[in-house]
Amino acid sequence: MAFVILDPCRQEQSAECLTVCPVDCIEKGPEQYYIDPDVCIDCAACKSVCPVDAIVEEYDLTPDQETYLEQAEEFFAK
Ligand code: SF4
């Protein structure tokens, strides 16, 4: 399991999540930040500091939001 950053990040990109992640698994992508799903330890620290509530747990993703997990997997596969 991992946390996933959704599209509200695109307009905000405050990066507060980066400062609290204990395993340093959040990186800036071309349009938003992404969480590496293979490294995330599911601690929820990032979710609590996000000013636009853009971060959700993987199992809470709606079918329409699955694409953001796929984008994160593709981003870190590079
Ligand atoms: Fe980092 Fe924890 Fe957020 Fe995962 S849930 S990205 S480990 S702060």
Side-chain angles (χ1 to χ4, degrees), residues 3-77:
F3 276 65
V4 181
I5 302 177
L6 306 179
D7 59 333
C9 179
R10 294 179 182 219
Q11 301 298 323
E12 181 67 25
Q13 300 197 31
S14 73
E16 286 172 47
C17 53
L18 265 73
T19 65
V20 299
C21 180
V23 293
D24 200 21
C25 69
I26 306 174
E27 290 186 24
K28 190 177 191 322
E31 295 181 333
Q32 64 167 83
Y33 284 81
Y34 290 110
I35 293 170
D36 187 339
D38 291 333
V39 181
C40 175
I41 58 171
D42 233 9
C43 73
C46 55
K47 180 176 175 65
S48 63
V49 298
C50 180
V52 290
D53 201 20
I55 306 178
V56 299
E57 287 192 81
E58 183 179 338
Y59 66 73
D60 285 334
L61 290 173
T62 65
D64 285 353
Q65 293 169 337
E66 295 278 345
T67 183
Y68 295 100
L69 176 58
E70 292 164 7
Q71 286 174 25
E73 289 169 340
E74 286 172 15
F75 178 72
F76 287 101

